[in-house]
């Protein structure tokens, strides 16, 4: 009997021991497995949310091959704009040979720059415009050159003359577009560097302002190699700010400046404290956007559009297709064969003025299309407009500035690279009502993931800093104040 009972008891005991060991293993292995799976899932989720960046890369745009040894000259060299009697005499001789082309009756600016008004501009340019005086105006701010990636980069750097005790000065890089220049910012610079002196209540925010010329524009050397695009410009401007000793800074732009600064934010987000734009590139299309456009005309609130968005976007075909087609003929030329038209403009100051100033008409206010004088002198003086033209003329930079379109659009025809990566730094947007295209906040969020301020500006167009400097300065200050409080 014991022989039968003992083996059975022993077998039962062993079975219980095995069962206990198995349960003990389960008590350890199951939570461990769950923890492992959970960790993998958490890593996957976090990696999915990881901020993507654009590779900074490197480049060389000099006229000769990159030196194999030795560092690039990183010195910051003072620069002064100069002119000569010979330069002015050559300009006057070319203006004297202006051949007038009669326009059709009632043309206004519908056919481009009105030739009767152009004759008035040329007469003023030849007989009253004082380039020597305007050079002094340009030189009132400190100019510099520094060599980056084989080419000389021009910039102005303006610091506040007085900073109250305990107040931090914020570095601000401002980037122009086409057919503008660093001169666009001359009215806004004193508002940003000396706000209290100009009646701005936002005196608790003070800036030192850096305005570079995009390579190939104005007094920045043109790239000597192909493929110089916005990514290359963004990298060069980051290197410029680093060379000036800044680790963190704010950046601002419109037109190409918007594209360049947005890429800067994607390239080194840790260096960009905030990004402020007065023009927004999204480039993102698709079924969702199409549905939004269709429904927005009838129930804008259902697709995230405000009443002001609806007013600026609709009728959609008129404002986003027909008007854009009318205003973008230049873009197709410059994005395909810029040198053909550019060489003619570089040889003719009258042609150059007509080509550039026509943009300052309809891009400032779409209704100026119907005015014989393009409404130009209602917002700017002829001295201001011709000074910007002269920056292109005396530097022979119109061709290289136009090439910037080809280098960008040949790589990214729809400028969709921004939307593929996204912008995650704090962003402020000033939406001016006369901008060529309006981008509602809900659409801007497709690319700009961290919009801190979005302002419907009461007036103004494409050249915001030039046309409405006080409005833009106030919006920049409001944005920076909010970022600093985060």
């Amino acid at each position: 009997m014991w022989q039968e009972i003992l083996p059975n008891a022993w077998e039962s005991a062993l079975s219980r021991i095995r069962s206990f060991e198995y349960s003990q293993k389960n008590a350890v292995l199951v939570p461990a497995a769950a923890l492992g799976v959970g960790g993998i899932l958490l890593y996957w989720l976090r990696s999915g949310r990881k901020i993507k960046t654009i590779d900074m890369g490197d480049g060389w745009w000099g006229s000769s091959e990159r030196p194999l040894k030795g560092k690039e000259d990183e010195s910051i060299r003072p620069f002064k704009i100069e002119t000569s009697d010979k330069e002015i005499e050559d300009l006057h001789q070319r203006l004297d040979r202006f051949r007038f082309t009669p326009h059709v009756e009632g043309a206004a600016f519908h056919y481009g720059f009105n030739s009767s008004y152009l004759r008035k501009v040329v007469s003023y340019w030849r007989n009253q415009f004082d380039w020597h005086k305007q050079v002094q105006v340009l030189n009132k701010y400190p100019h510099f050159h520094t060599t980056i990636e084989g080419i000389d980069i021009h910039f102005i750097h303006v610091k506040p003359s007085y900073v109250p005790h305990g107040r931090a000065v914020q570095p601000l890089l401002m980037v122009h577009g086409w057919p503008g220049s660093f001169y666009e910012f001359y009215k806004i610079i004193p508002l940003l560097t000396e706000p209290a002196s100009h009646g701005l209540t936002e005196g608790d925010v003070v800036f030192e302002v850096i305005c570079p010329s995009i390579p190939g524009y104005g007094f920045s050397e043109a790239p000597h190699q192909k493929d110089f695009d916005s990514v290359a410009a963004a990298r060069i401007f980051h290197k410029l700010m680093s060379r000036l000793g800044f680790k963190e800074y704010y950046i601002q732009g419109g037109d190409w400046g918007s594209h360049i600064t947005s890429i800067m934010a994607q390239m080194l987000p840790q260096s960009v404290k905030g990004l402020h734009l007065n023009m927004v590139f999204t480039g993102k299309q698709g079924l969702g956007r199409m549905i939004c456009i269709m429904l927005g005309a009838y129930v804008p609130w259902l697709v995230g559009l405000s009443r002001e968005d609806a007013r600026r976007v609709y009728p959609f075909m008129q404002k986003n297709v027909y008007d854009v087609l009318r205003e973008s003929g230049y873009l197709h030329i410059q994005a395909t064969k810029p040198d053909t038209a550019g060489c003619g403009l570089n040889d003719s100051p009258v042609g150059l003025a007509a080509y550039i100033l026509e943009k300052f008409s309809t891009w400032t206010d779409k209704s100026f299309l119907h005015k014989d004088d393009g409404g130009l002198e209602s917002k700017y003086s002829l001295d201001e407009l011709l000074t910007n033209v002269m920056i292109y003329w005396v530097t022979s930079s119109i061709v290289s500035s136009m090439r910037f379109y080809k280098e960008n659009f040949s790589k990214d025809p729809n400028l969709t690279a921004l939307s593929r990566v996204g912008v995650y730094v704090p962003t402020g947007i000033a939406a001016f009502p006369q901008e060529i295209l309006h981008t509602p906040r809900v659409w801007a969020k497709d690319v700009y993931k961290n919009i801190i301020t979005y302002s419907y500006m009461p007036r103004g167009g494409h050249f915001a800093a030039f046309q409405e400097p006080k409005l833009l300065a106030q919006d920049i200050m409001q944005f920076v104040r909010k970022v600093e409080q985060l």
Side-chain angles (χ1 to χ4, degrees):
M1 188 172 112
W2 287 105
Q3 290 177 343
E4 293 176 2
I5 293 174
L6 283 173
N8 290 337
W10 182 249
E11 192 66 34
S12 176
L14 286 174
S15 177
R16 289 180 181 178
I17 290 170
R18 291 192 190 100
S19 177
F20 176 77
E21 289 177 345
Y22 183 73
S23 64
Q24 287 291 93
K25 288 180 180 178
N26 278 350
V28 176
L29 291 175
V30 170
L35 187 62
V37 172
I40 292 171
L41 181 62
L42 182 62
Y43 174 79
W44 179 77
L45 288 171
R46 284 191 171 183
S47 64
R49 293 177 184 172
K50 184 179 179 181
I51 295 177
K52 296 179 181 179
T53 59
I54 291 178
D55 180 38
M56 191 165 181
D58 202 2
W60 181 261
W61 313 103
S63 57
S64 57
E65 291 186 7
R66 189 171 199 160
L68 297 176
K69 294 182 179 180
K71 288 184 65 177
E72 189 170 58
D73 177 13
E74 296 185 356
S75 63
I76 306 292
R77 306 179 296 276
F79 170 74
K80 189 175 182 180
I81 298 171
E82 296 179 343
T83 187
S84 65
D85 291 339
K86 183 179 180 181
E87 183 177 70
I88 296 172
E89 183 181 346
D90 175 72
L91 170 68
H92 287 172
Q93 289 175 355
R94 292 169 187 265
L95 294 177
D96 287 339
R97 292 196 296 269
F98 165 49
R99 291 197 301 175
F100 175 73
T101 303
H103 56 77
V104 297
E105 292 184 10
F109 264 58
H110 289 276
Y111 287 73
F113 206 99
N114 184 286
S115 57
S116 291
Y117 181 62
L118 181 60
R119 183 154 54 182
K120 175 189 173 183
V121 171
V122 171
S123 175
Y124 181 89
W125 198 359
R126 173 63 177 85
N127 301 305
Q128 294 173 262
F129 179 75
D130 187 343
W131 178 231
H132 281 292
K133 178 183 175 182
Q134 292 309 114
V135 165
Q136 293 178 359
V137 171
L138 291 175
N139 282 326
K140 75 176 181 178
Y141 294 131
H143 293 250
F144 302 90
H145 267 151
T146 190
T147 306
I148 303 177
E149 298 187 6
I151 52 177
D152 285 344
I153 305 302
H154 162 261
F155 64 98
I156 58 175
H157 187 179
V158 186
K159 301 178 182 180
S161 59
Y162 169 74
V163 181
H165 178 71
R167 186 169 300 170
V169 177
Q170 303 294 344
L172 174 66
L173 178 83
M174 305 187 77
V175 184
H176 66 87
W178 187 92
S181 65
F182 66 92
Y183 179 60
E184 285 181 69
F185 301 117
Y186 267 49
K187 296 178 188 177
I188 198 173
I189 286 173
L191 306 183
L192 296 169
T193 56
E194 315 282 349
S197 302
H198 294 84
L200 293 180
T201 58
E202 294 80 358
D204 57 321
V205 179
V206 180
F207 298 92
E208 60 176 296
V209 179
I210 301 93
C211 300
S213 296
I214 299 170
Y217 287 69
F219 298 98
S220 276
E221 186 177 355
H224 298 273
Q225 314 297 329
K226 294 190 297 183
D227 299 328
F228 185 91
D229 59 5
S230 293
V231 174
R235 180 178 63 246
I236 281 178
F237 291 160
H238 269 309
K239 289 182 178 181
L240 170 64
M241 295 301 279
S242 175
R243 191 169 292 184
L244 292 173
F246 300 116
K247 294 182 179 179
E248 291 184 314
Y249 34 89
Y250 287 92
I251 52 181
Q252 199 281 333
D255 195 82
W256 278 126
S258 168
H259 198 237
I260 292 168
T261 53
S262 293
I263 292 173
M264 290 179 71
Q266 294 173 316
M267 188 177 282
L268 289 179
Q270 68 273 21
S271 295
V272 177
K273 295 181 73 175
L275 167 68
H276 187 278
L277 306 172
N278 56 276
M279 182 180 182
V280 175
F281 288 88
T282 58
K284 189 174 182 180
Q285 302 297 333
L287 182 61
R289 177 66 60 84
M290 189 179 299
I291 292 172
C292 180
I293 291 168
M294 293 172 65
L295 292 177
Y298 305 99
V299 281
W301 51 268
L302 189 63
V303 290
L305 300 180
S306 68
R307 287 185 179 180
E308 184 62 19
D309 288 328
R311 191 182 71 80
R312 296 187 184 190
V313 169
Y314 299 101
F316 186 82
M317 290 300 292
Q318 179 63 50
K319 294 186 175 181
N320 296 270
V321 179
Y322 303 142
D323 287 355
V324 172
L325 284 174
R326 184 191 66 227
E327 294 299 327
S328 61
Y330 79 99
L331 189 150
H332 188 76
I333 293 172
Q334 295 177 192
T336 52
K337 297 181 179 181
D339 286 30
T340 303
C343 288
L345 299 175
N346 191 54
D347 190 59
S348 168
V350 177
L352 181 67
Y355 196 69
I356 288 177
L357 296 185
E358 183 249 312
K359 307 307 178 194
F360 280 86
S361 169
T362 48
W363 291 6
T364 294
D365 191 313
K366 300 178 185 72
S367 69
F368 288 173
L369 187 73
H370 310 295
K371 295 179 177 290
D372 290 339
D373 62 358
L376 283 169
E377 292 177 75
S378 64
K379 295 295 181 181
Y380 317 103
S381 71
L382 283 180
D383 280 346
E384 291 170 343
L385 293 169
L386 289 172
T387 295
N388 183 66
V389 173
M390 285 295 289
I391 290 171
Y392 281 87
W393 176 254
V394 300
T395 59
S396 296
S397 59
I398 187 62
V399 179
S400 51
S401 74
M402 293 165 68
R403 286 176 189 152
F404 198 60
Y405 284 77
K406 181 173 179 62
E407 305 295 15
N408 277 285
F409 283 98
S410 61
K411 294 180 183 177
D412 186 14
N414 297 315
L415 299 181
T416 55
L418 283 174
S419 60
R420 291 196 297 270
V421 177
V423 176
Y424 293 86
V425 304
T427 302
I429 297 172
F432 284 85
Q434 292 296 329
E435 184 55 271
I436 301 166
L437 280 173
H438 175 67
T439 303
R441 180 175 188 146
V442 67
W443 296 357
K445 285 167 64 178
D446 289 341
V447 174
Y448 301 91
K449 311 296 185 180
N450 188 11
I451 298 176
I452 304 298
T453 62
Y454 183 100
S455 307
Y456 296 99
M457 308 306 284
R459 61 185 179 276
H462 188 70
F463 304 99
F466 204 37
Q467 181 186 354
E468 298 291 347
K470 190 169 185 178
L471 285 179
L472 183 60
Q474 288 173 325
D475 200 71
I476 293 170
M477 290 175 176
Q478 176 194 8
F479 163 67
V480 170
R481 185 186 297 108
K482 288 191 175 183
V483 174
E484 291 296 312
Q485 292 171 351
L486 291 177

